[in-house]
Amino acid sequence: MPAHKSKSEKREDSKPLRRDPYEVLGVNKYSTDQEIKTAYRKLALKYHPDKNGNDPRAADMFKEVTFSYNILSNPDKRRQYDSSGFEAVESDSQDMELDLSSLGPVNTMFAALFSKLGVPIRTAVSATVLEEALNGTVPLRPLELGQPICRKVEKQCAHFYSVTITEKEYKGGFVCRVLSLDKSKFKLLYFEREENGGLSLALQEDSTKTGKVTSAGMYFFGFTVYHMDPAHTSLTTAKDQDSALFKKLDGFQPCEITELKPGTHIFAVYGDNFFKSISYTIEAVCAENFAEDKENLRSVESQILSKRVELSKFETEYREVLAQFTEMTSRYAQEMQAIDELLKQRNEIHASYTTASSPMKNTGSGRTKSNSASKEANEDDSPVRPKKSSREQQAKKKKKWFNIHLKVDKRKPC
């Protein structure tokens, strides 16, 4: 007979064999974040369900590609996988990006509900938009420097803009910003030209709520600038409330592209709302006249990086003190309980030094005995009454409360 397998062994056997994420994406362990992102987008577009109908193999490949990218795109998960394999990241590998255009109305409604309740949901750019861009079939609208454009884009659709950068903007720096006054969700995208003339997605910045608007921006100053991934922070906070402070700056990551060469560059605004269209304003600005602001930005981001290092050290100290506090709190409760128990025993010993019955122990029986004794005393003190005859008792029984005695004069007839 074959050996009986335990439930845990059966679960291990039922798990699918996972391929190396680097092998799935066709990159190596020394690939940059940009190379990993480019490889993922090409494979995700190739195996996307919208392009492959009901092909189960393509659906499995799409899931595998997305799973691998979720590991390698996160610095912490990538480091954990490199050191310990899948086991280190298995519990945290559920962060998936949703393509809202392929969910359907019911699933979109549930996703919107969860998002409204505070559940962080990552969304991806529609495969249709990426495919049209890769084929070079998207219409381009010129965006002049210093001339904002206000438009409205439908959900899961994109407006593409071409911006011409001269040597002056290249040296002085370039900024592209988008804001929405109605607090809509959108993505600011930057595309690179392929050899065949198509456009491949290179940078993506999700909108964040800043004051009374939502905004997103890309900054090309010739030095490393950073962007904050709000979804990463929200997911970390949702998993561990105690780590909210220490993980708050984990989403603060360097941008892959720091400068734009002179020439024509393509940006896009992608509508990321669940149901309604997005009203927005896009603007391209030369940073030459904002030299002081550039230096302030560099200084502040440097301080943020220093603060992240400080938080890492502080977390170690905090965990140690918290463990000591928890231990002291537990000991406090135990000591209090032990003292109360000893005092109780002491009181019981004191109460035992008496020849009389303890009033505390015999409270109920004493009260019963006293009641019975008082009854007996009352019976002894009361005089003995003669017993009534049986006739009188029967008459009293027959007598009802409504028998009214009327005095009738027998001499007068009724």
Side-chain angles (χ1 to χ4, degrees):
M1 290 181 64
H4 178 70
K5 291 185 178 182
S6 64
K7 290 184 178 180
S8 59
E9 291 175 336
K10 289 181 179 179
R11 281 196 295 268
E12 290 294 330
D13 292 343
S14 63
K15 285 184 178 180
L17 295 176
R18 298 193 183 280
R19 289 197 296 157
D20 178 22
Y22 294 102
E23 178 188 346
V24 173
L25 297 182
V27 296
N28 58 57
K29 290 188 176 182
Y30 304 101
S31 298
T32 63
D33 293 341
Q34 184 59 38
E35 291 172 341
I36 292 173
K37 187 176 293 185
T38 301
Y40 160 70
R41 284 168 178 158
K42 289 181 178 180
L43 291 173
L45 189 61
K46 178 180 178 180
Y47 295 111
H48 198 280
D50 286 352
K51 292 187 61 178
N52 296 276
N54 297 323
D55 185 357
R57 182 179 177 279
D60 292 339
M61 286 296 299
F62 180 77
K63 292 178 182 178
E64 187 177 34
V65 167
T66 305
F67 177 84
S68 301
Y69 177 69
N70 285 334
I71 295 176
L72 300 185
S73 63
N74 187 306
D76 291 336
K77 291 182 181 179
R78 184 177 180 181
R79 184 171 57 253
Q80 291 170 2
Y81 173 78
D82 289 342
S83 61
S84 305
F86 283 113
E87 291 183 0
V89 296
E90 192 72 31
S91 59
D92 295 329
S93 61
Q94 304 301 321
D95 310 336
M96 306 290 286
E97 287 189 347
L98 298 179
D99 182 355
L100 299 180
S101 63
S102 62
L103 285 183
V106 176
N107 291 332
T108 302
M109 182 180 66
F110 279 110
L113 177 62
F114 289 137
S115 178
K116 203 72 174 177
L117 293 174
V119 179
I121 296 178
R122 289 178 176 270
T123 56
V125 179
S126 168
T128 303
V129 172
L130 295 178
E131 185 178 9
E132 290 176 352
L134 200 59
N135 293 333
T137 58
V138 294
L140 298 176
R141 179 171 178 172
L143 177 62
E144 303 294 336
L145 294 177
Q147 297 183 12
I149 295 178
C150 300
R151 295 182 69 185
K152 181 179 288 188
V153 62
E154 295 299 321
K155 59 183 178 67
Q156 287 83 60
C157 295
H159 289 165
F160 287 79
Y161 296 90
S162 62
V163 182
T164 301
I165 295 178
T166 64
E167 192 72 24
K168 176 183 176 182
E169 287 84 43
Y170 164 66
K171 292 181 178 180
F174 173 80
V175 176
C176 182
R177 294 191 74 247
V178 181
L179 62 86
S180 173
L181 296 177
D182 58 3
K183 301 179 183 178
S184 292
K185 295 175 63 179
F186 60 88
K187 298 179 187 293
L188 175 59
L189 311 176
Y190 172 71
F191 290 83
E192 291 181 337
R193 285 278 185 189
E194 297 286 338
E195 295 180 357
N196 62 355
L199 303 173
S200 62
L201 183 59
L203 288 179
Q204 173 180 309
E205 191 73 26
D206 288 11
S207 62
T208 57
K209 187 177 180 181
T210 53
K212 297 182 178 180
V213 301
T214 51
S215 63
M218 292 184 180
Y219 306 87
F220 307 93
F221 294 147
F223 56 84
T224 302
V225 294
Y226 293 78
H227 71 99
M228 178 66 78
D229 183 2
H232 183 277
T233 304
S234 300
L235 286 167
T236 305
T237 304
K239 292 175 182 177
D240 185 3
Q241 292 290 337
D242 292 339
S243 300
L245 170 64
F246 308 111
K247 303 299 182 183
K248 191 170 186 178
L249 297 180
D250 283 3
F252 191 69
Q253 299 295 332
C255 295
E256 294 89 347
I257 301 176
T258 60
E259 61 182 10
L260 297 181
K261 301 292 184 180
T264 301
H265 297 271
I266 309 300
F267 293 86
V269 179
Y270 177 80
D272 206 24
N273 278 343
F274 288 99
F275 299 108
K276 64 179 183 178
S277 57
I278 294 89
S279 298
Y280 68 91
T281 301
I282 184 171
E283 182 179 14
V285 178
C286 177
E288 185 182 26
N289 299 327
F290 301 89
E292 184 177 353
D293 295 321
K294 284 170 57 178
E295 292 304 318
N296 289 339
L297 178 63
R298 175 185 281 184
S299 175
V300 169
E301 290 190 339
S302 176
Q303 294 177 46
I304 293 175
L305 291 175
S306 300
K307 182 62 67 175
R308 185 167 64 179
V309 176
E310 293 176 11
L311 280 178
S312 178
K313 296 179 181 178
F314 175 55
E315 181 179 11
T316 303
E317 299 173 2
Y318 173 82
R319 298 294 183 189
E320 292 176 355
V321 174
L322 182 61
Q324 294 177 1
F325 173 77
T326 304
E327 182 182 355
M328 290 299 104
T329 304
S330 176
R331 181 179 175 183
Y332 179 91
Q334 293 174 2
E335 295 293 344
M336 180 65 74
Q337 184 179 0
I339 290 172
D340 291 342
E341 184 64 28
L342 291 173
L343 291 175
K344 181 180 178 182
Q345 293 178 13
R346 177 176 177 272
N347 292 336
E348 291 177 353
I349 294 172
H350 284 176
S352 65
Y353 288 99
T354 178
T355 56
S357 58
S358 175
M360 298 296 293
K361 295 182 179 179
N362 302 322
T363 302
S365 59
R367 188 180 297 120
T368 306
K369 291 179 180 179
S370 61
N371 291 339
S372 59
S374 60
K375 287 182 180 179
E376 291 175 359
N378 291 335
E379 291 176 359
D380 294 341
D381 295 340
S382 59
V384 180
R385 295 179 182 177
K387 293 185 179 181
K388 294 182 179 181
S389 63
S390 60
R391 289 185 179 180
E392 290 179 354
Q393 291 177 356
Q394 291 177 1
K396 189 173 182 179
K397 287 181 181 179
K398 291 181 180 179
K399 188 175 180 180
K400 303 296 183 180
W401 64 272
F402 50 81
N403 292 339
I404 303 175
H405 298 282
L406 300 177
K407 292 183 178 180
V408 182
D409 192 351
K410 295 181 180 181
R411 292 175 297 179
K412 295 181 181 181
C414 296

